[in-house]
Amino acid sequence: PTVRYFSLLGSITLLTMYLVPPINQSECDEVSYKIFFSGSKNLKAATSTLLSCGEAYKFQNPVSAIVLYSVLYTAFLAASIPGCTTVLSILAGAMWNPIVAILLIVINSSFGGMCAYVLSQLVLKDTVVKRFPRLFNKLRKSIDSFGSNIWFAMIFLRVTPLVPNWFVSLGSPMVGMPINVFFFGGMLGFVPAGIFHCLNGRALKSLVTDSGVDPFTSFFTLFGLQFVVLLPLWLCGKKKSRELEAKISKEEKKKGD
């Protein structure tokens, strides 16, 4: 099943790249697959290189640019490769207007996470628990701390860095998280991160191009929107996070003794 899953994932990605217009713009000559795995290292240079390529491709193929971006973004998340989508998330904020960029980040993050959820549910159950026992324990206790309010638990997990997002996707089937709550609750939880990356992308575009983007207007508009979205979650989540961290530390201390 694992081989079939990744074969299907790779086939869809390659088929999409074959069907869309080829990337032959001169601005794309410096782009290589390594740029997606740079994570936070040299993030500005990586995003600037992709921005030049993406803008040139989008100018000639606006619809294909969205399709290709979405398939690559979803494929990276579906393969549960940590950090690969950071560059792409910031790139969306630089290439498209804020509404389109946030929608692309949120929708692709949700579908990519759901693919990883299905992979884990069908194939990787025992492997995930045995390979990452500490992360699994954190995930289980995070959800248990919310009692029957699993919707808020899912949103909380996507908003806070207590458990990495890639592991939330892989570990959720093992803690009994229903797929509908995982998908739609996670989608709501991805909104603040989408706003944050969009903000960074707009700021980056103002630095590397003469696009006329006003960084101050973009900053205050998106920051205000992010603040409105995050405030209710932050007020409740901050307390829950402290309680959960204290509980986990106490239990680990007991085990050590």
Side-chain angles (χ1 to χ4, degrees), residues 46-108:
T47 309
S48 299
T49 302
L50 283 175
L51 177 59
S52 300
C53 174
E55 289 282 13
Y57 186 79
K58 187 185 74 168
F59 179 77
Q60 297 179 0
N61 312 284
V63 176
S64 296
I66 291 178
V67 172
L68 185 58
Y69 175 91
S70 298
V71 170
L72 288 175
Y73 196 111
T74 303
F76 281 133
L77 279 181
S80 298
I81 305 175
C84 289
T85 55
T86 303
V87 173
L88 287 176
S89 296
I90 295 175
L91 181 65
M95 285 183 59
W96 288 283
N97 70 65
I99 300 300
V100 174
I102 293 169
L103 284 175
L104 284 172
I105 294 170
V106 171
I107 292 172
N108 291 323

Side-chain angles (χ1 to χ4, degrees), residues 65-248:
I66 291 178
V67 172
L68 185 58
Y69 175 91
S70 298
V71 170
L72 288 175
Y73 196 111
T74 303
F76 281 133
L77 279 181
S80 298
I81 305 175
C84 289
T85 55
T86 303
V87 173
L88 287 176
S89 296
I90 295 175
L91 181 65
M95 285 183 59
W96 288 283
N97 70 65
I99 300 300
V100 174
I102 293 169
L103 284 175
L104 284 172
I105 294 170
V106 171
I107 292 172
N108 291 323
S109 295
S110 300
F111 277 104
M114 187 175 67
C115 290
Y117 178 103
V118 172
L119 170 65
S120 181
Q121 187 177 44
L122 295 178
V123 181
L124 302 178
K125 288 184 178 180
D126 296 334
T127 304
V128 170
V129 176
K130 292 178 181 178
R131 181 68 179 82
F132 306 101
R134 190 168 183 273
L135 284 176
F136 180 76
N137 187 46
K138 274 191 174 184
L139 177 63
R140 181 173 53 79
K141 291 184 181 299
S142 297
I143 296 174
D144 290 344
S145 67
F146 287 91
S148 60
N149 195 354
I150 56 175
W151 281 94
F152 193 86
M154 191 65 236
I155 297 172
F156 171 81
L157 286 169
R158 289 306 195 191
V159 171
T160 62
L162 187 63
V163 180
N165 268 321
W166 62 269
F167 189 81
V168 172
S169 300
L170 292 177
S172 288
M174 274 69 76
V175 294
M177 179 66 68
I179 193 168
N180 63 317
V181 178
F182 173 84
F183 182 80
F184 291 106
M187 184 176 285
L188 291 174
F190 281 128
V191 172
I195 296 173
F196 176 75
H197 285 122
C198 182
L199 173 63
N200 287 334
R202 300 289 288 179
L204 178 65
K205 185 174 184 178
S206 70
L207 293 175
V208 301
T209 69
D210 297 322
S211 60
V213 174
D214 183 357
F216 294 103
T217 301
S218 297
F219 175 83
F220 287 112
T221 300
L222 292 174
F223 181 81
L225 180 58
Q226 179 175 259
F227 182 78
V228 170
V229 173
L230 276 175
L231 183 60
L233 294 171
W234 181 80
L235 290 174
C236 183
K238 187 176 181 181
K239 182 180 178 181
K240 287 286 185 182
S241 183
R242 286 200 303 263
E243 292 175 352
L244 185 59
E245 286 283 9
K247 185 177 180 181
I248 293 174

